[in-house]
Every structure is written in C-alpha cells, then in structure tokens.
C-alpha cells in the first residue's frame, strides 16, 4: 500500500491541464465533423491554394459562399486546434514532472503539424486525393487518440489509489482492448477510403464485423471478470452503446448514399448521416482507448503473481507515473 500511496505523493493531478486537454479533444471532434462535411459535400477542391485561401488568411465575404464555406471553415477550425495543441504542449512541458507525458504532448503537436501538411499536399495534388485521404484520416484519428490519452493521464482518477488485480484469462483483457483500438483505427481509415472512393464498401463492411466482434468480446470479458469495478465497466458499457448507434448510422448512411446516387450534388439526409457516422466512430475509438488505458492501469500481467502484492503495487506505480 505504501507504493500505491507514493503515486499520489509523486505526481499530483493538474486539473487545469486536464480540462484543457478535454477542451482540445472536443475541438478535435468538431474538426473531424468539419472535415466530414467537406467530404460529404464534395468541397475538397473549392479553395485552390494553401496555406492561404484565395491569397488571404481571412477570406472575403464574396469568397465565403457555396462549398468554400465548408472548406474554409474546416481550415479555420484546424488552425484553432493547432494553436490549442501548441498551448497544451507548452503547458504540459513546463508543469508536468512525468517526462514521458511531456514527450506525448510533443507528439500531439507533431501530429497536428503533420495533418496540416498532408492537407496541403491534398490541395496541390488533387489527382491523388483518394490516396492522400487514407493517411490524412489515419493521422487525424491517431492525433485524436493521443489527445484523449493526455486527458486520461492528467485526470484525478488516473492518479488515484486503486487496487491492482491480475489480468487472468486467454486472451488477457489488456491485450484484447489494445487489439480493439488497433482494429478501430484501421476501420476508421477504411471508412475514409470508401468515402473518398479509394476502394469499395466491402473492406469497410468486413472491418465493421471485426470491430463489432472485438468490442462485444472485450465487453463480455470485462463484465465477466471485473463486474464489480465501475472504473472498467463504465467505458465498456459506453463502448457497446456507441457500437449499436454506429452500426445503425452506418446502415442508414449507406442506404442514403445508394438512394442519392443519381443526385446532381450531395443532399440530405446522406450528408448528416455520414457526418454523424464519422463522429460516433471517433467517440467509439476514444471510449475503447479509455478502457484500454484503464485496464493497463489496474490490471497486471498474470506473471506478476509470482512476486505477490508488492510487485503488483510496483506495476501500478510504473503505469501511473
């Protein structure tokens, strides 16, 4: 128990940083929705230059019309997210004692810069827009995941004293949750590839089946082995609920897309359904990521049983700090 108490003595939660990270995560959700609006409205080629827009940082009222509204709004929100990420990285660098967390904040800033560069490449090479969309989506969702992780690591609940238990079972819950996060990232990229017509719907459907199976399997194991621990069961419940909503939105968005195939331009409800599908997908990724991090926080590998409770406490301390 002394080792566990040392966690709170070594690192104290900074609620300001934690709340700022949550704000950045929410802004990133808004940015993802704005990007989905650009794609759904086929507005990606509406602004011909980058990083300026029609040669200006702030476009004139005459230019802010039709599809330019979606593309320029996306760029403006991206600028806000980039500036917020820079401020978060600075804040974490100067106030955090955990060196690995300072590096993670720098990775987040590097990710938002890389995302901006990829967006610029997309503008100047429109003939490769379908191929560029795949890394663009991967970096966007990965950046979102890093921001969510920073919010988790700076939270009071992460640093609170908690009992550490053995992660029994084959496969282990920790390994299964990590695999589910990886599968979700791949699935979100497959969705982006389909929306940008890099490939057909079949890979995305196969990915949806795989992700659904992994989330259900993971949740069953969490409820079976750790049903008394709300720290783990709460995100598992949210993940299952979001999965149901996501599957419904996916089916509805697909049929709306098929029904609007002959339309001269994208129309409702296809646009709203597609945007909602992407946003709920990102929320599902964040929820499963939170579950994964929490599993690594309170569950120890079965081999730790050899050394007893002291080893478990040391494992908890290493994960937390």
């Amino acid at each position: 128990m002394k080792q566990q108490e040392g966690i709170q003595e070594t690192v104290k939660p900074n609620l300001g940083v934690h709340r700022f990270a949550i704000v950045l995560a929410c802004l990133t959700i808004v940015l993802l929705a704005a990007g989905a609006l650009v794609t759904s409205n086929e507005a990606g080629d509406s602004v011909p230059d980058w990083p300026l827009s029609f040669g200006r940082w702030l476009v004139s009222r005459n230019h802010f019309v039709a599809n330019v509204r979606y593309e320029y709004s996306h760029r403006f929100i991206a600028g806000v997210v980039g500036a917020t990420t820079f401020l978060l990285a600075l804040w974490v660098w100067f106030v955090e004692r955990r060196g690995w967390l300072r590096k993670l904040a720098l990775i987040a800033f590097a990710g938002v810069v890389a995302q901006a560069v990829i967006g610029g490449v997309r503008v100047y090479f429109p003939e490769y827009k379908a191929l560029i969309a795949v890394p663009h989506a991967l970096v966007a969702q990965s950046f979102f995941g890093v921001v969510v992780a920073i919010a988790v690591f700076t939270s009071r609940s992460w640093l609170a004293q908690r009992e550490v238990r053995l992660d029994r079972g084959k496969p282990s819950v920790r390994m299964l949750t990590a695999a589910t996060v990886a599968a979700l990232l791949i699935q979100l990229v497959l969705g982006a590839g389909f929306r940008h017509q890099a490939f057909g719907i079949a890979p995305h459907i196969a990915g949806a089946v795989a992700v659904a199976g992994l989330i259900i399997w993971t949740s069953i194991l969490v409820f079976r082995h750790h049903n008394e621990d709300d720290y783990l069961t709460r995100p598992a419940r949210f993940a299952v609920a979001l999965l149901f909503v996501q599957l419904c939105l996916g089916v509805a968005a697909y049929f709306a897309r098929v029904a609007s195939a002959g339309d001269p331009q994208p129309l409702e409800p296809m646009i709203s359904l597609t945007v909602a599908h992407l946003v709920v997908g990102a929320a599902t990724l964040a929820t499963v990521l939170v579950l994964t991090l929490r599993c690594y926080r309170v569950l120890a590998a079965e081999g730790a049983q050899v050394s007893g409770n002291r080893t478990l406490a040391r494992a908890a301390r290493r994960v937390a700090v």
Side-chain angles (χ1 to χ4, degrees):
M1 294 299 294
K2 291 182 179 180
Q3 292 286 349
Q4 284 278 39
E5 292 169 358
I7 295 174
Q8 293 175 308
E9 296 171 1
T10 303
V11 179
K12 295 182 179 179
N14 188 317
L15 293 182
V17 173
H18 173 63
R19 290 166 181 165
F20 198 69
I22 291 176
V23 170
L24 177 56
C26 294
L27 285 174
T28 306
I29 286 284
V30 174
L31 177 59
L32 291 171
L37 282 171
V38 172
T39 303
S40 299
N41 287 280
E42 298 179 358
D45 299 316
S46 58
V47 180
D49 53 341
W50 181 91
L52 300 178
S53 300
F54 301 103
R56 303 177 58 174
W57 290 111
L58 295 175
V59 298
S60 65
R61 183 181 303 177
N62 293 334
H63 279 128
F64 195 68
V65 294
N67 281 345
V68 174
R69 293 175 299 171
Y70 300 110
E71 173 63 10
Y72 182 75
S73 297
H74 177 55
R75 293 188 183 190
F76 182 83
I77 297 170
V80 173
V81 169
T84 307
T85 306
F86 176 70
L87 292 176
L88 177 65
L90 279 181
W91 197 348
V92 170
W93 185 263
F94 284 110
V95 305
E96 262 294 337
R97 297 178 59 183
R98 292 169 286 182
W100 60 267
L101 187 52
R102 293 199 299 268
K103 293 177 183 177
L104 188 63
L106 292 179
I107 289 173
F109 181 65
V112 79
V113 172
Q115 183 71 343
V117 172
I118 295 173
V121 172
R122 158 70 180 83
V123 172
Y124 288 109
F125 296 94
E127 64 273 20
Y128 298 108
K129 63 180 181 180
L131 295 177
I132 296 172
V134 174
H136 194 59
L138 178 60
V139 174
Q141 298 288 349
S142 300
F143 165 76
F144 177 56
V146 171
V147 173
V148 170
I150 292 173
V152 171
F153 294 141
T154 54
S155 66
R156 183 175 294 171
S157 62
W158 178 262
L159 297 170
Q161 179 179 333
R162 295 188 180 279
E163 177 188 359
V164 179
R165 299 178 302 280
L166 294 174
D167 188 8
R168 295 185 176 90
K170 300 293 182 181
S172 69
V173 175
R174 298 195 308 172
M175 184 178 71
L176 195 55
T177 54
T180 305
V181 170
L184 272 165
L185 271 175
I186 294 172
Q187 172 64 355
L188 291 170
V189 170
L190 291 175
F194 168 65
R195 289 193 305 275
H196 290 271
Q197 301 177 353
F199 38 73
I201 188 64
H204 190 50
I205 293 176
V209 173
V211 166
L214 283 169
I215 290 178
I216 293 172
W217 188 8
T218 299
S219 301
I220 289 174
L221 287 184
V222 170
F223 292 131
R224 178 182 297 173
H225 297 297
H226 310 286
N227 190 48
E228 75 290 347
D229 191 351
D230 194 51
Y231 189 64
L232 298 182
T233 57
R234 187 186 302 117
R237 285 194 297 269
F238 274 115
V240 173
L242 287 171
L243 172 64
F244 175 76
V245 174
Q246 180 70 341
L247 291 176
C248 292
L249 285 172
V251 172
Y254 176 73
F255 281 110
R257 184 178 292 271
V258 171
S260 63
D263 295 342
Q265 65 183 45
L267 300 172
E268 295 291 356
M270 191 272 290
I271 295 173
S272 295
L273 287 170
T274 301
V275 173
H277 188 55
L278 183 143
V279 169
V280 174
T284 306
L285 172 65
T287 303
V288 176
L289 178 59
V290 169
L291 175 61
T292 302
L293 296 176
R294 288 184 174 187
C295 285
Y296 277 85
R297 171 69 178 85
V298 300
L299 301 179
E302 194 166 0
Q305 188 175 12
V306 176
S307 301
N309 292 335
R310 186 173 298 177
T311 298
L312 292 180
R314 283 199 297 267
R317 175 179 169 81
R318 285 196 299 270
V319 171
V321 302

